[in-house]
Amino acid sequence: MANIRLGFAPTRRSIFSAPDAIKYRGLTAKRLEELGIDFVDITDI
């Protein structure tokens, strides 16, 4: 079976503060890693 890689591109919207956006990006990435989900994100951009 082929592996799937998820693209994860968190962005900030006006309803979230910048600190909250960063916080939830980290929490989501951590959970994806815990679940063993292969993903790429936009952190290096």
Side-chain angles (χ1 to χ4, degrees), residues 1-9 32 36-42:
M1 183 163 86
N3 292 331
I4 295 174
R5 179 176 289 159
L6 179 70
F8 178 50
L32 289 171
I37 296 173
D38 186 22
F39 69 95
V40 295
D41 62 14
I42 59 173

Side-chain angles (χ1 to χ4, degrees), residues 4 6 8-9 16-17 20 22-25 30-32 42 45:
I4 295 174
L6 179 70
F8 178 50
F16 296 112
S17 67
D20 280 341
I22 292 167
K23 173 186 172 184
Y24 286 104
R25 180 261 171 234
K30 180 180 176 186
R31 185 65 178 143
L32 289 171
I42 59 173
I45 295 177

